[in-house]
Amino acid sequence: MAYASYEKLDRNIKTADLTNALGDARPARSPQGAVNIALIGSDSRAGTGGAYGKGYTSQQSDTLMVLHLSAGHKRATVVSLPRDSWVEIPSCDLGDGKTSQPTKAKINRAFAIGSSHGGVAGGAACAVKTIELNTGLHIDHFMEIDFSGFKNIVDALGGVRMCLPQGIEDKKASLSLPAGCQKLDGEQALGFARARYSLGDGSDIGRIGRQQQLLTEIVTTVRDKKLDAPALYRLANAATKSLTVDSGLGGLSGLLGLAQDFRDMPDRPTFVTVPNRPRSLEVPSDKANVVWKPAAAELFSALREDRPVSTTARPVNESENGAQRASATTASARGDFEVLGQGVRSREVVDG
């Protein structure tokens, strides 16, 4: 029975081989077994019944992150790449011997270019090539999930608890939430992750902070809940059905290995956002996009060398890293984490 369940979950996972599409001209691999994984949240409306707008045929990377696992997988850093980042997009494989022209555009355009002819595999390949070109990081693996998949995972988990200092009304994100502590179901969690114009300054940068907090709550919920066997199976079934990963990750065994790595880590992942500034400082007419600051180069250099970074994206030495961990542990014990400007704060603060 257990073997049959394993086989079913393994078959759920969709895989894609990006080897040929990525080519040979790539950055050097990270040293000493460190691993970089591209996390792609696509805005595909497949399976949503038109709930998030009809007539959308292209797919873009609504969320784009790089997960860096240190050598020995004892430390994890999650770097958010703002979807409005104005970057170089290289030539990408379009199939049938055709390639796209190199261009400058929003970073989320890369997934749309590749997926227009190659589906998720093509989109992931172009997104990975774009990340590698602009960061110098060698991306070892990728994981992609769409709107419907994210909802299903949260629902299988039984929802996630969030505390809001103020109510949220965002028609574009199909979201209506009162102030206070509450459990979000999959639909609400997706809306919270997508909400932009009704919270903070309405920017993608503000939304990234909320997405990071939501991911933290999901990870915390998984680690803290005492799930029985049926609940674990429901969660695993929803997760595996929702993912497309590269064939080199190793299917279910690879995902289980990653899950074990996270469970064994002494500290939670460090979430950072690429240092950026409005592109309007250089191009006054562009009010929508951002460019990366020179400090981004220091961030990616540290990750290439498998060095820790702080939550402000600044490289830190080992002694500073130890102090940072101690500070984070103390803060966690006090429950004083707060992101009021991003429309969310921890349950400890609100619940007293």
Side-chain angles (χ1 to χ4, degrees):
M1 182 67 177
Y3 178 77
S5 297
Y6 182 96
E7 286 290 294
K8 180 181 184 298
L9 294 175
D10 195 47
R11 288 194 303 269
N12 280 346
I13 303 172
K14 299 179 285 294
T15 61
D17 186 354
L18 307 187
T19 305
N20 292 334
L22 295 178
D24 299 323
R26 304 181 62 193
R29 291 183 181 275
S30 299
Q32 303 175 341
V35 175
N36 297 308
I37 303 174
L39 307 178
I40 304 170
S42 80
D43 63 2
S44 169
R45 272 68 172 176
T48 65
Y52 306 103
K54 299 179 180 180
Y56 287 91
T57 56
S58 65
Q59 299 180 54
Q60 301 183 97
S61 51
D62 198 58
T63 301
L64 191 60
M65 300 177 174
V66 174
L67 165 63
H68 174 82
L69 297 174
S70 67
H73 297 188
K74 299 303 181 184
R75 184 180 68 250
T77 305
V78 182
V79 182
S80 292
L81 311 178
R83 71 173 192 173
D84 295 337
S85 298
W86 193 259
V87 299
E88 300 274 356
I89 298 180
S91 174
C92 293
D93 182 18
L94 298 179
D96 298 325
K98 299 178 181 178
T99 57
S100 63
Q101 290 295 317
T103 186
K104 285 188 175 183
K106 290 184 179 183
I107 199 168
N108 67 344
R109 178 66 182 151
F111 191 86
I113 290 172
S115 65
S116 63
H117 295 276
V120 171
C126 196
V128 166
K129 289 187 69 173
T130 300
I131 294 171
E132 291 189 340
L133 174 65
N134 290 277
T135 68
L137 293 170
H138 182 100
I139 301 300
D140 301 282
H141 304 292
F142 87 89
M143 298 182 186
E144 182 271 347
I145 186 171
D146 60 20
F147 284 176
S148 182
F150 180 82
K151 288 170 49 181
N152 292 340
I153 288 176
V154 173
D155 283 335
L157 190 57
V160 290
R161 183 171 169 80
M162 298 292 287
C163 294
L164 308 176
Q166 60 188 33
I168 301 174
E169 293 291 336
D170 193 314
K171 292 182 178 180
K172 289 189 175 182
S174 301
L175 185 65
S176 177
L177 296 174
C181 293
Q182 58 208 284
K183 181 173 286 188
L184 306 187
D185 61 21
E187 185 79 26
Q188 294 168 324
L190 176 60
F192 184 79
R194 296 182 63 235
R196 176 172 180 174
Y197 299 103
S198 62
L199 293 173
D201 60 4
S203 71
D204 184 51
I205 305 304
R207 184 174 67 166
I208 283 175
R210 293 187 290 276
Q211 291 173 344
Q212 291 176 347
Q213 177 62 5
L214 180 59
L215 288 176
T216 299
E217 289 295 328
I218 290 174
V219 171
T220 300
T221 300
V222 171
R223 294 181 66 172
D224 291 352
K225 290 188 73 169
K226 304 299 183 183
L227 301 176
D228 57 20
L232 281 172
Y233 183 81
R234 287 194 299 271
L235 178 60
N237 189 46
T240 54
K241 287 172 65 175
S242 302
L243 289 174
T244 299
V245 304
D246 65 283
S247 53
L249 189 58
L252 182 59
S253 62
L255 292 176
L256 291 175
L258 284 174
Q260 185 65 46
D261 287 340
F262 274 97
R263 189 166 64 179
D264 293 342
M265 284 180 188
D267 304 302
R268 293 180 179 181
T270 298
F271 284 92
V272 304
T273 301
V274 176
N276 62 84
R277 61 173 179 264
R279 187 168 179 252
S280 60
L281 296 177
E282 303 169 6
V283 183
S285 61
D286 186 354
K287 306 296 184 182
N289 300 309
V290 299
V291 295
W292 295 350
K293 293 181 179 179
E298 298 179 15
L299 165 65
F300 295 126
S301 176
L303 295 180
R304 286 195 299 271
E305 297 169 5
D306 196 25
R307 293 185 286 129
V309 298
S310 71
T311 54
T312 58
R314 183 178 64 87
V316 297
N317 58 41
E318 286 303 323
S319 61
E320 288 177 315
N321 193 45
Q324 180 181 323
R325 288 199 305 268
S327 176
T329 300
T330 301
S332 178
R334 290 199 311 265
D336 63 358
F337 180 77
E338 189 169 18
V339 193
L340 293 175
Q342 297 168 352
V344 59
R345 57 177 131 175
S346 74
R347 68 193 69 172
E348 292 88 350
V349 171
V350 179
D351 291 345

